[in-house]
């Protein structure tokens, strides 16, 4: 690897740097994304969370409130509930808007359910480029609204609701939170954003000297945003519900936790989003970890992986007043 190609490797924490060699870096495009989907599906371990953890697992199909197709969700609950009405975590998976499924977050959600008594629901939103916005917003909102309307059936506490996600899931969670704020149908009480994909301008901005070299590149980001928006990224006329970084005000959002790696492609947009949250009077907690934090779930015993897990868990439990 040339010096130019490895310009940021020395900035990655030594405990997780081997992940760079395990996960190939390639630029997604119209001709490669389907193969990437298939490869990602093969890489994700298919675990039975009901055998590994003291949880129940159920798949349901719920209706769209916008006349779209029905939406599949996964529901996890503790086998021995700690609460009569459970705190509720709504999980939105990552994948750059074009890849992924809730399977990638299944183990983490099972841990949250088993250890802290949460009902965790994950949504299978439609992927782009086959489906462009507002498909993703409508699916994410509809599944959450269905859960809120069936709170008694699910035994969830509508006063303790968190929404979160990683990468594209974080961006979709932020856009969903803005939409919920404006619709005023119900409230959410915490927003959990890990390495969130928030700004469609990143894919067309000047090259960052260190960020975005590995795994999710600037070109992949360009493809993801073009796919989900249905047009060239960076245009001014775009909804803040689709591109949260374009919101004129973030006032009214719930307490928000953001974590990001110092060479994650999304470092600048995450910092600016946190700054805007603080400016608009939203309680925000920001953590910048050395190197490429996006890969930390692959190394759960690494120091900064544990730090990130502990800080996000603490922020979640505190926001929902669970201690």
């Amino acid at each position: 690897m040339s010096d130019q190609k490895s310009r940021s490797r020395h900035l990655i924490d030594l405990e997780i740097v081997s992940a760079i060699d395990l996960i190939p870096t390639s630029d997604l495009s119209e001709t490669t994304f389907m193969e990437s989907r298939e490869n990602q599906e093969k890489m994700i371990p298919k675990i039975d969370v009901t055998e590994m953890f003291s949880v129940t697992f159920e798949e349901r199909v719920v209706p769209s409130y916008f006349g779209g197709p029905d939406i599949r969700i996964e529901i996890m609950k503790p086998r021995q509930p700690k609460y009569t009405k459970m705190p509720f975590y709504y999980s939105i998976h990552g994948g750059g808007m074009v890849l992924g499924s809730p399977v990638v977050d299944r183990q983490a959600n099972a841990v949250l359910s088993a250890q802290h008594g949460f009902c965790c629901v994950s949504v299978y939103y439609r992927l782009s480029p086959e489906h462009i916005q507002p498909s993703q917003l409508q699916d994410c909102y509809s599944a959450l609204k269905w859960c809120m309307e069936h709170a008694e059936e699910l035994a969830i506490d509508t006063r303790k609701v968190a929404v979160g996600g990683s990468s594209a899931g974080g961006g979709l969670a932020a856009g969903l939170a803005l939409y919920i704020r404006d619709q005023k149908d119900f409230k959410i009480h915490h927003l959990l954003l890990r390495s969130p994909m928030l700004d469609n301008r990143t894919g067309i901005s000047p090259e960052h000297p260190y960020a975005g070299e590995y795994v999710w590149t600037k070109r992949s980001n360009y493809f993801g945003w073009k796919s989900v928006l249905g047009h060239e990224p960076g245009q001014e006329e775009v909804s803040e519900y689709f591109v949260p970084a374009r919101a004129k005000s973030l006032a009214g959002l719930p307490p928000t936790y953001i974590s990001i790696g110092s060479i994650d492609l999304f470092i600048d947009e995450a910092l600016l989003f946190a700054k805007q949250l603080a400016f608009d009077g939203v309680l925000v907690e920001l953590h910048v970890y050395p190197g490429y934090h996006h890969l930390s779930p692959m190394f759960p015993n690494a120091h900064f992986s544990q730090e990130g897990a502990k800080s996000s868990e603490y922020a979640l439990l505190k926001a929902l007043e669970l201690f």
Side-chain angles (χ1 to χ4, degrees), residues 112-248:
L112 184 62
S113 180
Q115 291 187 357
H116 297 292
F118 275 75
C119 172
C120 296
V121 171
S122 300
V123 56
Y124 284 84
Y125 59 86
R126 285 171 285 177
L127 298 177
S128 63
E130 297 92 332
H131 306 280
I132 64 172
Q133 285 282 26
S135 298
Q136 293 74 24
L137 174 68
Q138 291 178 355
D139 290 353
C140 292
Y141 179 77
S142 292
L144 178 54
K145 183 177 173 67
W146 182 88
C147 292
M148 299 296 284
E149 292 184 347
H150 292 78
E152 186 171 346
E153 175 188 344
L154 296 173
I156 60 176
D157 188 342
T158 58
R159 301 166 301 172
K160 299 183 185 298
V161 178
V163 173
S166 300
S167 190
L172 290 169
L176 177 62
L178 288 166
Y179 187 75
I180 291 168
R181 175 197 68 180
D182 297 343
Q183 291 298 305
K184 298 182 174 63
D185 284 346
F186 51 85
K187 288 185 177 181
I188 60 175
H189 309 94
H190 185 56
L191 190 56
L192 181 59
L193 309 178
R194 299 186 181 96
S195 302
M197 182 178 175
L198 299 163
D199 196 336
N200 65 334
R201 293 165 292 191
T202 299
I204 61 169
S205 62
E207 192 80 14
H208 192 291
Y210 297 105
E213 180 179 358
Y214 297 109
V215 186
W216 188 251
T217 65
K218 181 178 174 180
R219 288 184 181 178
S220 293
N221 200 50
Y222 169 85
F223 174 72
W225 277 116
K226 184 177 181 181
S227 297
V228 77
L229 296 177
H231 57 68
E232 288 292 315
Q235 295 181 16
E236 290 302 318
E237 297 300 321
V238 62
S239 172
E240 62 190 40
Y241 305 141
F242 309 159
V243 187
R246 308 300 284 272
K248 292 182 174 62

Side-chain angles (χ1 to χ4, degrees), residues 1-8 207-209 213-214:
M1 186 178 287
S2 69
D3 290 340
Q4 178 60 24
K5 278 289 185 181
S6 61
R7 65 188 183 274
S8 59
E207 192 80 14
H208 192 291
E213 180 179 358
Y214 297 109

Side-chain angles (χ1 to χ4, degrees), residues 41-101:
E41 188 173 344
K42 292 175 185 176
M43 288 178 63
I44 299 173
K46 305 297 189 296
I47 63 171
D48 185 344
V49 291
T50 62
E51 290 186 359
M52 294 181 64
F53 305 96
S54 183
V55 298
T56 62
F57 178 87
E58 177 188 5
E59 288 193 350
R60 297 278 291 266
V61 175
V62 301
S64 169
Y65 289 83
F66 301 89
D70 289 345
I71 304 149
R72 186 156 58 116
I73 60 173
E74 295 182 357
I75 306 171
M76 267 183 273
K77 297 180 181 180
R79 282 208 192 98
Q80 299 176 322
K82 295 175 63 176
Y83 309 98
T84 304
K85 291 186 176 181
M86 292 173 280
F88 179 47
Y89 179 63
Y90 186 72
S91 174
I92 306 177
H93 71 80
M97 311 291 185
V98 297
L99 308 172
S101 78

Side-chain angles (χ1 to χ4, degrees), residues 8-9 11-13 16-17 19-20 23 25 167 195 210-217 260-266 289-297 299 305:
S8 59
R9 190 183 183 94
L11 298 174
I12 301 174
D13 180 54
I16 70 168
V17 70
I20 298 304
I23 301 179
T25 296
S167 190
S195 302
Y210 297 105
E213 180 179 358
Y214 297 109
V215 186
W216 188 251
T217 65
I260 189 73
S262 60
I263 63 167
D264 289 5
L265 179 65
F266 307 136
Y289 293 101
Y292 201 82
H293 189 60
H294 203 94
L295 299 181
S296 59
F299 298 86
S305 300

